[in-house]
Amino acid sequence: DTGVSQDPRHKITKRGQNVTFRCDPISEHNRLYWYRQTLGQGPEFLTYFQNEAQLEKSRLLSDRFSAERPKGSFSTLEIQRTEQGDSAMYLCASSFGTANDEQYFGPGTRLTVT
Amino acid sequence: DQQVKQNSPSLSVQEGRISILNCDYTNSMFDYFLWYKKYPAEGPTFLISISSIKDKNEDGRFTVFLNKSAKHLSLHIVPSQPGDSAVYFCAANSGYALNFGKGTSLLVTP
């Protein structure tokens, strides 16, 4: 296993369209996280899963954002009715889920909404 | 509300010298801190971490210092190498979410 992978790496979409991103975590990791990074900022936490359970989703940016991890392995992040302000890098990370463990990040999906 | 602050957007250091990157935090409940390095078009890469029960952690050329009373930590890179040129993010773990600073762009010149 070479690390966290994300697909696609780049996505260009028109305003109003729906987009879905996929994340495959490191296979031994129980926790999976989604972050968003905009220009000049550090990554901003969105949501996370412990196995298939979504334990925190209050920081998803709006009700247009949703995430799933149906079988506790890969996860998807969907943005409905995209807006230009959604343009950002969407990062996925995974960890073992023990106290004070490191999160390992994927390469990210760069979303551009035109 | 930015709970983790990196007040220096950029730093330039000569190869072989020490690089010192600083980070301040406001939430005294934070007890685990991490440094990540990020190259363009890549995700952040974990570098080194420190628990609040320690005041120093060392890994090769990288050392992180934590001053809990001042709510301040710093990353020292000795000696700096051109391949260290990247953006460095400080992060504090609040149990599950990492709270990141805005990053410091380090340039190591030959």
Side-chain angles (χ1 to χ4, degrees):
Chain A
D1 191 359
T2 56
V4 178
S5 62
Q6 291 187 246
D7 184 68
R9 294 291 306 275
H10 303 275
K11 178 72 177 177
I12 300 174
T13 192
K14 292 187 177 180
R15 189 175 52 191
Q17 298 294 304
N18 299 342
V19 294
T20 300
F21 310 139
R22 177 179 170 126
C23 171
D24 287 88
I26 293 171
S27 57
E28 312 87 73
H29 286 176
N30 297 318
R31 283 192 180 176
L32 186 148
Y33 312 80
W34 285 99
Y35 290 80
R36 182 182 80 155
Q37 186 177 16
T38 55
L39 197 62
Q41 304 293 318
E44 173 189 17
F45 173 81
L46 297 178
T47 187
Y48 88 106
F49 296 83
Q50 174 83 29
N51 299 313
E52 66 274 11
Q54 189 173 14
L55 298 185
E56 174 57 61
K57 56 181 179 180
S58 67
R59 287 159 72 172
L60 283 167
L61 300 161
S62 79
D63 58 8
R64 298 183 296 105
F65 287 70
S66 63
E68 293 183 344
R69 194 183 183 197
K71 298 182 180 178
S73 56
F74 74 92
S75 175
T76 57
L77 177 70
E78 182 182 16
I79 308 173
Q80 296 183 327
R81 305 180 304 281
T82 52
E83 301 173 357
Q84 286 188 319
D86 297 332
S87 296
M89 175 75 84
Y90 291 86
L91 294 161
C92 176
S94 69
S95 74
F96 285 108
T98 56
N100 294 340
D101 62 350
E102 298 85 33
Q103 296 181 20
Y104 292 88
F105 283 82
T109 295
R110 166 73 64 188
L111 173 67
T112 302
V113 181
T114 61
Chain B
D1 181 29
Q2 195 83 18
Q3 296 189 79
V4 176
K5 298 178 183 179
Q6 294 176 258
N7 292 319
S8 298
S10 62
L11 175 67
S12 183
V13 171
Q14 275 192 320
E15 182 178 5
R17 307 292 287 266
I18 183 171
S19 296
I20 300 177
L21 296 96
N22 293 303
C23 177
D24 297 291
Y25 61 97
T26 58
N27 189 337
S28 57
M29 299 299 291
F30 289 149
D31 62 1
Y32 189 62
F33 303 89
L34 307 91
W35 284 92
Y36 284 83
K37 173 180 177 180
K38 187 178 185 303
Y39 292 117
E42 294 184 12
T45 302
F46 169 72
L47 262 181
I48 192 169
S49 61
I50 188 165
S51 166
S52 60
I53 61 172
K54 294 185 173 182
D55 54 16
K56 177 181 174 181
N57 189 27
E58 198 169 352
D59 183 2
R61 297 186 297 113
F62 301 91
T63 303
V64 57
F65 295 92
L66 175 61
N67 181 333
K68 289 188 293 293
S69 62
K71 296 192 184 69
H72 177 83
L73 59 158
S74 61
L75 174 69
H76 293 209
I77 306 173
V78 185
S80 301
Q81 299 173 353
D84 296 329
S85 298
V87 178
Y88 290 78
F89 289 98
C90 170
N93 191 330
S94 60
Y96 49 85
L98 292 180
N99 299 271
F100 283 87
K102 291 186 177 183
T104 296
S105 179
L106 173 66
L107 176 65
V108 180
T109 57

